[in-house]
Amino acid sequence: MSLLAQHRHPGLNLGHTDPETHRQAEETLFGFWVFLMSDLVLFALLFATYAFMLGATDGGPGPRDVFELSSAALETGILLLSSLTMGMASIAMKYDEPPSRLYGWLVVTLLLGLVFLGLEARDFAKMVSEDATPQRSGWLSSFYALVSTHGLHVAAGCVWLILSIVQLAVFGLRSEVKLRIMRLSLFWHLLDVVWIFIFSVVYLGGLA
């Protein structure tokens, strides 16, 4: 079998490029998947609360009054692009490409995450200026709880990205650093999946 064929492995793994770290990752990533599934339970509860509160506007503004689909669509595009760049970072790490490529993809992912947070903060500020605050109604409370929880997760992911970049610079591509980046990648992709549901259920559903 050719060397190139040996290096072709589907999915997020290191395969023959780093067999020892690949072996360690099996148990580590399984445990992290369990954590991610528990995190999904939290979001499921927030989605259920939002659905229950959808009509509880108490005479205040509703989705059609405060949502800007163009802004939400832009945020969706940015977050999906960040998922692509995170995937490219994983590929660069897996195939032991020049460190500059891994650095570059991680930095681009970080910048896209920060842009997403900035746009979301702008949306929140606009809603507050229009008296669409969390205490205004049950629907607004559930909206802020759901979307802000996702935003806090993205912020945590950005901090994790910064720490990963620093660790990469200090320690290089050691097994521990690779495992952390692999877990970060799973975490980041999950946030993108959750946002797709938010965009579909909250924004598109609210304006339907």
Side-chain angles (χ1 to χ4, degrees), residues 49-119:
T49 302
Y50 177 84
F52 182 78
M53 289 289 185
L54 191 54
T57 57
D58 194 29
R64 291 181 175 274
D65 302 314
V66 296
F67 288 166
E68 288 188 5
L69 188 58
S70 59
S71 180
L74 177 60
E75 292 163 18
T76 302
I78 289 172
L79 207 55
L80 288 176
L81 182 59
S82 75
S83 190
L84 172 63
T85 58
M86 179 61 80
M88 295 302 295
S90 298
I91 292 173
M93 180 181 70
K94 175 176 176 176
Y95 293 110
D96 200 25
E97 295 180 1
S100 59
R101 293 188 181 179
L102 178 54
Y103 277 115
W105 289 121
L106 290 176
V107 169
V108 172
T109 304
L110 172 62
L111 293 175
L112 290 170
L114 293 174
V115 170
F116 172 85
L117 290 174
L119 292 173

Side-chain angles (χ1 to χ4, degrees), residues 33-69:
W33 268 113
V34 174
F35 161 73
L36 292 180
M37 293 306 101
S38 67
D39 211 27
L40 279 180
V41 172
L42 169 63
F43 279 109
L45 292 172
L46 291 172
F47 272 109
T49 302
Y50 177 84
F52 182 78
M53 289 289 185
L54 191 54
T57 57
D58 194 29
R64 291 181 175 274
D65 302 314
V66 296
F67 288 166
E68 288 188 5
L69 188 58

Side-chain angles (χ1 to χ4, degrees), residues 152-181:
L152 288 174
H153 278 68
V154 174
C158 288
V159 173
W160 195 347
L161 275 163
I162 293 171
L163 294 176
S164 295
I165 293 169
V166 172
Q167 289 179 341
L168 189 60
V170 174
F171 302 112
L173 268 179
R174 292 167 49 176
S175 293
E176 297 85 350
V177 176
K178 286 184 177 181
L179 290 173
R180 290 169 189 149
I181 293 177

